[in-house]
Each structure stands twice: as structure tokens, then as C-alpha cells.
Amino acid sequence: MSWAQLFFYVFAVLGVIMSLMVVTRRKAVHSAIFLILAFICFAATYIIMNAELLAAIQVLVYAGGVVGLIIFVIMLVKAEEDEVKQTHGQWIIAAFLALLLVVEVAFIFLGSVAQKTGHLAARMAQVGGNTEAVGVVLYTKYLFPFEVASILLLAAMIGAIVLAKYKLER
Amino acid sequence: MIPLSHVIIFSLIIFVIGMVGALSRRNVFIVLMSIELMLNAVNIALIGVSSAMGNMIGQVLAIFIITVAAGEAAVGLAIVVALYRNRLTVNVDSINLLKW
């Protein structure tokens, strides 16, 4: 087992532990802190899987932006403290569905795994690196979805402002 | 290289943790964070497949998913703020106006 593989498994196990902490903590702020740690562990596994640009975006956008936004709103909104019951009755259905999904997908992927058809690192080295390779594909083949994504972000921004401002105008 | 099946199993475990959290927690912030975890699980799967197949399309799709996740977080948190102004709660059980 090489060092890269070893680190992948270490960060994968850490990521799973942090994700479990996110969904089991009582206070939302603690969950948000563990969410940052989970995202950083995921970014480490991205680097091992030859996606350096996405690892940087993961840390900047998720751990910096999205979780920062969540923490701001947690501070704005006062949650009920010391609630006795943290889950509602759906957890039995949720656990059953989760078990079903794990069994199904694990069965499919442990049975037949697609084989490697090319070496990604060599192909990226031809273009000049991970960022360049992603950029070439993104701005040639996927230019139209890229523009659609920008319109989606604009719509989300306007929608968020309108929704959060609604009551202030009266 | 990492075997593709191990990457998929890792992504699956994260997705399932997020799914259980989104379905069973009562605090709306933890539900939103669980949805982020589920979107991240999809990113892990896409990047793993991209690495195993040797092309960049999975990573480009992951960038689009990150875009959608950022928009979803902004709109979801705006809805939470508007809801808190109206109902003074962040408990998903008491937001049941449309429940039959």
C-alpha cells in the first residue's frame, strides 16, 4: 500500500467520523464546526484523487463560504436551548432507507467495478496541470452549462435578498 | 491508485449519513448541513470516477454541483430567516402548515 492510499483511507475515516459528529451534535454551532473539519478531510481526499483545483474550491467555497454563512444565520436566529428530543419519528424510516441504499449500492459496486481506461495524471501533464485541464474542458465543451450556472447563481442571489428582506419593508 | 469501489463506498457512507440527518433531525440548520453533506458525497463520487476513467468531465460536473450547493445554501438560509421572523422557531416539526 502506497503512502497516497494510506492517507486516502485515513482522511476517509476521519471524514466519516466528522460527518457522524455533524448529524449527532445537540447544538447547531458544534455541528457547523465539525462540518468545516469534514469538508477539509474531503478536500484532502480530492488531492489524492488528482483534483487539486476542486480541493482548493472545496476549502474556499464550502469551508469558508457556505459554513460561514450558516454560522452567521445561526447567530441571527435564536434556537430553542436544551431541547430534550432532538429527532422526530421519521428516524426509523430514515434508518431503513439508509440501510437499503447501502446494501444496494455496495452490492452493485463490489460485484462489477469499471476498470481504469486512462491515466489522469499523464493526461493533465500534457495540458499543463489540473487547473488548466479543468479550464479547457469547462470553457470549450461545457461553456453553455457554465453560463446557465452563472444565471442560476444570479437568481439565487436575488431570491435570497428578496426572501430575507420581505418583512423589513413594512 | 485508490480502487473505484472504495471511493464509491466512502461517498455512499457520507451520503447515507447526510440522508439520515436530513430526514431525522429537528433543527433546521442541521438539516441544511446534512443536505450539504449529501451534495459533497456526490462530488466525491464524481471525482473518484473522473480519476478512475482518466478524463476531466467528472471534475467539471463537480464544479457545477458546488455552484448549485452555494445557491441552495443562500436561498435555504434566507428562507430560514424569513420563517424565523414569522413563526419564531427553527424546529422543522412546528413548520407544518402544508402538512395534511
Side-chain angles (χ1 to χ4, degrees), chain B residues 36-89:
Chain B
E36 298 292 334
L37 273 182
M38 288 161 79
L39 288 164
N40 248 286
V42 177
N43 276 348
I44 294 169
L46 280 174
I47 291 170
V49 171
S50 156
S51 174
M53 297 289 173
N55 62 26
M56 305 303 299
I57 297 172
Q59 299 190 15
V60 172
L61 283 178
I63 288 180
F64 289 135
I65 287 182
I66 288 176
T67 314
V68 172
E72 177 260 342
V75 175
L77 289 168
I79 290 174
V80 170
V81 169
L83 206 57
Y84 182 74
R85 286 212 185 103
N86 284 315
R87 305 288 299 266
L88 288 178
T89 182

Side-chain angles (χ1 to χ4, degrees), chain A residues 46-146:
Chain A
Y46 292 176
I47 292 178
I48 296 165
M49 291 188 285
N50 291 322
E52 292 89 359
L53 175 69
L54 274 161
I57 292 177
Q58 169 93 0
V59 172
L60 287 174
V61 173
Y62 272 114
V66 170
V67 184
L69 198 65
I70 289 177
I71 289 177
F72 275 134
V73 178
I74 289 173
M75 287 196 301
L76 282 178
V77 171
K78 190 174 161 295
E80 292 99 69
E81 291 291 325
D82 295 330
E83 215 178 333
V84 183
K85 202 160 170 290
Q86 289 287 315
T87 60
H88 51 67
Q90 277 181 355
W91 75 268
I92 301 170
I93 305 169
F96 177 70
L97 283 177
L99 194 69
L100 205 66
L101 189 64
V102 168
V103 170
E104 182 188 356
V105 182
F107 190 71
I108 291 170
F109 271 91
L110 287 179
S112 64
V113 174
Q115 286 304 308
K116 226 160 66 162
T117 54
H119 198 57
L120 189 61
R123 191 173 297 199
M124 285 190 311
Q126 285 178 354
V127 193
N130 178 250
T131 311
E132 285 83 352
V134 171
V136 165
V137 179
L138 187 61
Y139 291 118
T140 55
K141 197 174 175 187
Y142 290 89
L143 186 62
F144 183 66
F146 180 73

Side-chain angles (χ1 to χ4, degrees), chain B residues 21-40:
Chain B
L23 286 177
S24 67
R25 290 301 301 258
R26 297 173 81 200
N27 190 326
V28 72
F29 292 114
I30 297 178
V31 172
L32 280 174
M33 287 185 233
S34 305
I35 293 170
E36 298 292 334
L37 273 182
M38 288 161 79
L39 288 164
N40 248 286

